Amino acid sequence: MHEWPKAQGREKQPMLKANHAVMLLKTDARDQAWIDAFSDAMPELEVRLWPETGDTSEINCALLWCPPPELFDGLDNLEVIFSIGAGVDSLLTCPTLPAHLPIVRMVEPELTAGMVEFCLFHVLRFHRLMHRFETQQAERHWEELPQVPATGVTVGVMGLGVLGQALARQLSALRYRVIGYRRGPGAVDGVEVFHGEDELEAFMRRSMILALLMPSTPETNRIINRETLRWLPVDAYLINAGRGDLVNEQELIEALDAGPLAGAALDVFETEPLPQASALWSHPGVYVTPHIASITHPPTACRYIVDTIRYYRQGEPWPHLVEIDRGY
Ligand code: GLV
């Protein structure tokens, strides 16, 4: 059971009907895995798969990824929406999203672990110059390249939410120097934190490897562009595991061609799937993966959702609520 702080003197909220929770699912391609996981985690929960909704007035919760606008038709008794993804942009951009409803973000251990693994993998690759040794091997070329200890490498983590903080902890454990950037002030253990537009330049100037884990919002749109890329140290590396629209791809390619970037690992793109014609596919120094940095894992995700429902039924507020005005 997850533990969240108890509400103090807050008004109790209306509760999902204790014995009649009906969950509507609009998932990725893994409907059966979700259904099996819910039947293990909360057998009494009735699960319906969109568009087979049955009586829409009976549905009080929904677990969604990229909902089509018509999904919300008739869901007049919906009380809460659970996001399948860590990012909620696909929900918030849905024009028919009922604006008054709480949205609970996905905070599950396997999703966090997957994101940390993906970013660490590429940090280690770039730091230990494995991309260059791969090229040397293909050319049967034997040459020792200078190796720097992790204590000499500063990794900038852009976005210090659940995922960014988990990454920062693991980087620190590997003895990297970790700095972080976030929208507003707020300390994070072991991380030198920069915040706000004014401190972005100072943060980027120190980031030898920059890992993007920010949400997609109007403020973060193309935050990595010609102007900001120029602030990176020479031969810096970029890892984007956040959202494609954080980066201006054309200007990223220019920074790879002319400096200061020496390489990039990209899991997310302005257009997905990445178009066949994109120069990123074959750009030397670029690693492309198809938005797989981390995938929500139904068994642990269902346990998390069921725990939040049980917590809410005790009269507590929903944990990990999306702040709709802020965009994440
Ligand atoms: C994936 O992109 C997610 O938001 O979890």
Side-chain angles (χ1 to χ4, degrees), residues 126-204:
F126 290 137
H127 158 216
R128 296 302 309 269
L129 304 179
M130 287 303 149
H131 55 305
R132 296 194 45 201
F133 291 119
E134 277 167 26
T135 311
Q136 288 192 187
Q137 181 174 352
E139 293 165 353
R140 296 173 180 257
H141 175 68
W142 182 283
E143 183 189 339
E144 193 181 316
L145 300 172
Q147 298 278 320
V148 177
T151 48
V153 177
T154 302
V155 183
V157 178
M158 208 161 168
L160 287 174
V162 171
L163 303 177
Q165 291 192 32
L167 174 61
R169 274 193 296 279
Q170 295 302 323
L171 287 167
S172 299
L174 289 176
R175 303 180 316 123
Y176 288 101
R177 292 195 299 236
V178 186
I179 59 176
Y181 179 82
R182 67 181 339 159
R183 184 173 180 260
V188 175
D189 261 1
V191 181
E192 186 182 344
V193 178
F194 297 72
H195 74 271
E197 254 176 76
D198 292 349
E199 296 185 7
L200 181 57
E201 178 173 349
F203 165 77
M204 289 196 54

Side-chain angles (χ1 to χ4, degrees), residues 271-284:
T271 304
E272 294 180 14
L274 182 62
Q276 288 292 313
S278 170
L280 292 170
W281 281 112
S282 55
H283 198 291

Side-chain angles (χ1 to χ4, degrees), residues 22-297:
V22 181
M23 174 74 80
L24 182 66
L25 286 192
K26 159 77 178 65
T27 78
D28 40 30
R30 296 178 298 164
D31 291 338
Q32 197 55 49
W34 286 104
I35 291 169
D36 292 348
F38 272 121
S39 85
D40 279 353
M42 194 181 228
E44 69 277 22
L45 179 78
E46 187 183 334
V47 175
R48 297 185 191 165
L49 277 184
W50 191 84
E52 305 299 325
T53 53
D55 178 354
T56 47
S57 70
E58 292 169 350
I59 293 170
N60 44 21
C61 32
L63 174 63
L64 303 177
W65 179 249
C66 295
E70 64 275 25
L71 178 138
F72 293 103
D73 290 351
L75 295 188
D76 299 331
N77 294 323
L78 197 58
E79 288 179 46
V80 61
I81 296 172
F82 296 97
S83 167
I84 291 182
V88 289
D89 41 310
S90 86
L91 278 172
L92 298 186
T93 51
C94 176
T96 55
L97 181 79
H100 63 287
L101 286 183
I103 301 176
V104 177
R105 72 176 75 254
M106 182 56 70
V107 180
E108 68 101 349
E110 301 294 350
L111 179 66
T112 307
M115 195 54 103
V116 171
E117 287 160 10
F118 180 89
C119 293
L120 282 185
F121 177 84
H122 288 291
V123 166
L124 285 162
R125 173 210 289 287
F126 290 137
H127 158 216
R128 296 302 309 269
L129 304 179
M130 287 303 149
H131 55 305
R132 296 194 45 201
F133 291 119
E134 277 167 26
T135 311
Q136 288 192 187
Q137 181 174 352
E139 293 165 353
R140 296 173 180 257
H141 175 68
W142 182 283
E143 183 189 339
E144 193 181 316
L145 300 172
Q147 298 278 320
V148 177
T151 48
V153 177
T154 302
V155 183
V157 178
M158 208 161 168
L160 287 174
V162 171
L163 303 177
Q165 291 192 32
L167 174 61
R169 274 193 296 279
Q170 295 302 323
L171 287 167
S172 299
L174 289 176
R175 303 180 316 123
Y176 288 101
R177 292 195 299 236
V178 186
I179 59 176
Y181 179 82
R182 67 181 339 159
R183 184 173 180 260
V188 175
D189 261 1
V191 181
E192 186 182 344
V193 178
F194 297 72
H195 74 271
E197 254 176 76
D198 292 349
E199 296 185 7
L200 181 57
E201 178 173 349
F203 165 77
M204 289 196 54
R205 286 200 183 279
R206 300 251 311 270
S207 298
M208 297 159 73
I209 301 177
L210 178 64
L212 304 182
L213 284 173
M214 294 195 118
S216 162
T217 69
E219 289 77 38
T220 62
N221 192 274
R222 311 278 187 286
I223 192 164
I224 301 301
N225 54 50
R226 182 177 296 127
E227 177 73 16
T228 56
L229 284 163
R230 276 197 297 116
W231 294 332
L232 288 172
V234 173
D235 286 344
Y237 296 94
L238 179 83
I239 299 167
N240 189 6
R243 281 291 181 264
D245 62 8
L246 301 177
V247 175
N248 180 320
E249 275 174 17
Q250 188 47 47
E251 295 176 7
L252 170 76
I253 291 172
E254 288 168 24
L256 286 159
D257 289 340
L261 276 184
L266 307 172
D267 186 56
V268 285
F269 300 88
E270 285 174 345
T271 304
E272 294 180 14
L274 182 62
Q276 288 292 313
S278 170
L280 292 170
W281 281 112
S282 55
H283 198 291
V286 173
Y287 291 87
V288 169
T289 46
H291 202 142
I292 48 70
S294 193
I295 308 275
T296 302
H297 186 63

